[in-house]
């Protein structure tokens, strides 16, 4: 591999990821603004987001396939049993697509193949050198944060909690992802991104995202150097502030507000979940990925997974996700020798997984194609195991070339580089 391979590959993969972050968020603003009457003559704005999500997914998958085609074997070999089992169950679900006509079956099979490609290519991000991965995720978080700021600047302050016609949960999902990705990067910029993302989420009172941010932040700090005096002091101040401001917190979350619509949070979902359970009982073997329609899946990612992959297949997927989260938690609190960046990555991944697992109760799908929520969930779920050489003793590290902390590196630094 020549010396130009590394920057070319890294920049191509990173640029594709940044473009994808933009394409899963900014088109929601374009849908609200008539920027080109000519474009509307050919395509309805109601399809803009879907098309842009498809373009972002195709761009990323194609870029990673070209840049890492010789690495997929190694990456897949480093997945653990739970991750491989999830991919296997999704692969076997091709069989349950064989119903309701050839076109519907072929479409479902195409979607199933795409979710597999999406999971494998996102896992390849972990093959970037740690500094490159940190930079990639940091700029991704900036792009997602800019989406929120641009939406407010373009469409105005919320009217009935909507930004323009962007529903609060749709607006908040990219910001929650931006919040999670910002925790992989230290410093003032990451802190500022978290403040802005949380403030914009609170502005539209998207409760699943508010609680998700709190979970991600709390678990990050509980596992990343939790005993520092500053964090102990901040924790005490936070508890006291929460006790004093509890009425305002309850008002912000509005847990008992029956006037909020079905897509807004906790209230009003019993009927939808009941109908989803009835649909699951009627199709215990599953109906296939992306074959459920409308509210029959209960606007709940876990119920939709059970409906699409069956009680056995969907139940195993959910169980393997839970085991992956537990494993991520053990990694985050592990006492094995790790670099500071590795510890931060582990803590950020654990906090992000718990936040997204909570959000899946109130999101219409656990696995999806191309949206910010599914993109970040699959990225965090399918992290390959660390290379044995990625954790070295401090004394030895002075004499060895720098090695990435995740997976197989896209390249190594020239011998003798420092």
């Amino acid at each position: 591999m020549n010396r130009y391979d590394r920057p070319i590959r890294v920049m191509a993969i990173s640029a594709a990821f940044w473009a994808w972050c933009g394409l899963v968020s900014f088109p929601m603003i374009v849908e609200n603004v008539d920027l080109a009457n000519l474009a509307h003559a050919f395509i309805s704005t109601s399809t803009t987001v879907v098309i842009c999500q498809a373009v972002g997914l195709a761009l990323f998958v194609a870029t990673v396939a070209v840049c890492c085609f010789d690495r997929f074997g190694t990456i897949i070999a480093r997945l653990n049993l739970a991750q491989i089992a999830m991919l296997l169950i999704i692969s076997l679900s091709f069989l349950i697509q064989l119903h309701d006509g050839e076109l519907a079956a072929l479409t479902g099979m195409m979607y199933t193949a795409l979710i597999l490609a999406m999971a494998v290519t996102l896992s390849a991000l972990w093959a970037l050198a740690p500094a490159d991965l940190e930079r990639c995720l940091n700029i991704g978080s900036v792009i997602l944060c800019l989406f929120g700021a641009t939406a407010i600047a373009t469409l105005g302050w919320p009217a009935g909690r909507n930004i323009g016609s962007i529903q609060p949960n749709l607006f908040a999902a990219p910001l929650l992802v931006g919040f999670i990705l910002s925790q992989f990067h230290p410093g003032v910029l990451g802190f500022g991104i978290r403040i802005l993302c949380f403030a914009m989420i609170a502005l539209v009172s998207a409760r699943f995202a508010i609680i998700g941010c709190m979970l991600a932040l709390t678990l990050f700090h509980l596992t990343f150097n939790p005993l520092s005096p500053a964090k102990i002091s901040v924790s005490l101040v936070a508890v006291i502030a929460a006790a004093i401001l509890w009425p305002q917190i309850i008002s912000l979350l509005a847990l008992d507000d029956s006037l909020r619509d079905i897509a807004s949070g906790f209230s009003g979902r019993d009927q939808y979940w009941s109908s989803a359970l009835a649909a699951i009982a009627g199709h215990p073997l599953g109906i296939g990925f992306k074959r459920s329609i409308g509210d029959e899946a209960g606007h709940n990612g876990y119920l939709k997974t059970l409906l699409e992959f069956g009680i056995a297949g969907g139940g195993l997927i959910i169980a393997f996700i839970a085991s992956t989260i537990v494993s991520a938690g053990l990694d985050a609190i592990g006492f094995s020798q790790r670099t500071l960046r590795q510890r931060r990555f582990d803590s950020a991944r654990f906090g992000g997984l718990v936040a997204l697992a909570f959000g899946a109760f109130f999101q219409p799908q656990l696995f999806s194609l191309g949206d910010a929520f599914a993109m970040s969930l699959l990225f965090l779920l399918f992290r390959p195991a660390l290379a044995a050489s990625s954790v070295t003793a401090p004394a030895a590290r002075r004499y060895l070339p720098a090695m990435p902390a995740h997976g197989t590196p896209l390249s190594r630094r020239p011998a003798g580089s420092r």
Side-chain angles (χ1 to χ4, degrees), residues 104-164:
L106 288 174
T107 302
M109 290 180 178
M110 180 190 70
Y111 287 147
T112 304
L114 284 175
I115 196 68
L116 289 169
M118 184 174 165
V120 173
T121 51
L122 278 168
S123 70
L125 276 178
W126 295 100
L128 295 175
D132 295 325
L133 178 60
E134 183 180 298
R135 186 182 309 110
C136 177
L137 300 181
N138 184 40
I139 296 179
S141 72
V142 171
I143 292 170
L144 294 170
C145 182
L146 285 175
F147 151 72
T150 304
I152 293 173
T154 303
L155 306 175
W157 290 97
R161 296 180 55 238
N162 285 7
I163 302 292

Side-chain angles (χ1 to χ4, degrees), residues 28-350:
M28 285 190 280
I29 304 173
V30 176
E31 278 194 331
N32 286 263
V33 182
D34 189 1
L35 294 178
N37 290 326
L38 181 61
H40 289 282
F42 296 98
I43 184 168
S44 169
T45 53
S46 63
T47 62
T48 301
V49 170
V50 175
I51 291 176
C52 289
Q53 287 179 350
V55 171
L57 172 60
L59 176 64
F60 181 79
V61 169
T63 302
V64 175
V66 170
C67 293
C68 299
F69 70 94
D70 57 339
R71 306 283 170 162
F72 285 126
T74 302
I75 291 169
I76 293 174
R78 286 193 173 143
L79 297 177
N80 61 34
L81 291 178
Q83 294 165 331
I84 293 174
M86 282 188 277
L87 294 178
L88 181 60
I89 293 170
I90 295 173
S91 299
L92 291 174
S93 72
F94 278 105
L95 298 175
I96 58 178
Q97 294 282 357
L98 301 175
H99 63 92
D100 294 343
E102 293 181 358
L103 180 60
L106 288 174
T107 302
M109 290 180 178
M110 180 190 70
Y111 287 147
T112 304
L114 284 175
I115 196 68
L116 289 169
M118 184 174 165
V120 173
T121 51
L122 278 168
S123 70
L125 276 178
W126 295 100
L128 295 175
D132 295 325
L133 178 60
E134 183 180 298
R135 186 182 309 110
C136 177
L137 300 181
N138 184 40
I139 296 179
S141 72
V142 171
I143 292 170
L144 294 170
C145 182
L146 285 175
F147 151 72
T150 304
I152 293 173
T154 303
L155 306 175
W157 290 97
R161 296 180 55 238
N162 285 7
I163 302 292
S165 63
I166 305 176
Q167 195 268 347
N169 280 8
L170 294 178
F171 175 76
L175 296 174
L176 171 60
V177 175
F179 186 101
I180 291 169
L181 297 185
S182 72
Q183 294 199 126
F184 284 82
H185 181 74
V188 175
L189 179 60
F191 178 77
I193 293 297
R194 290 189 286 279
I195 292 293
L196 289 173
C197 286
F198 185 82
M200 289 185 283
I201 290 170
L203 185 64
V204 298
S205 188
R207 293 171 290 190
F208 91 93
I210 291 173
I211 297 174
C213 289
M214 294 166 60
L215 285 171
L217 184 68
T218 300
L219 292 174
F220 175 84
H221 286 290
L222 284 177
T223 56
F224 183 68
N225 194 22
L227 299 180
S228 67
K231 289 185 179 178
I232 294 174
S233 301
V234 169
S235 299
L236 291 174
V237 171
V239 171
I240 295 171
I244 295 173
L245 300 175
W246 186 247
Q248 288 74 23
I249 295 173
I250 292 296
S251 176
L252 176 65
L253 297 178
L255 300 182
D256 298 321
D257 186 355
S258 60
L259 299 178
R260 295 170 70 137
D261 61 29
I262 187 66
S264 66
F266 293 84
S267 58
R269 294 178 181 268
D270 293 349
Q271 291 182 342
Y272 284 81
W273 290 358
S274 296
S275 64
L277 290 172
I280 292 168
H283 302 86
L285 297 180
I287 62 176
F289 179 60
K290 298 292 284 185
R291 298 293 290 274
S292 58
I293 300 174
D295 296 321
E296 69 176 336
H299 206 82
N300 179 297
Y302 298 106
L303 293 179
K304 186 169 186 178
T305 299
L306 291 172
L307 177 59
E308 292 182 338
F309 295 98
I311 295 174
L316 286 172
I317 287 175
I318 294 170
F320 288 134
I321 290 174
S323 71
T324 301
I325 294 173
V326 172
S327 176
L330 294 176
D331 289 339
I333 63 176
F335 297 100
S336 59
Q337 187 173 17
R338 298 171 294 167
T339 65
L340 182 65
R341 181 180 277 129
Q342 175 62 48
R343 288 171 46 212
R344 185 171 62 251
F345 282 9
D346 288 342
S347 295
R349 177 177 179 249
F350 175 52

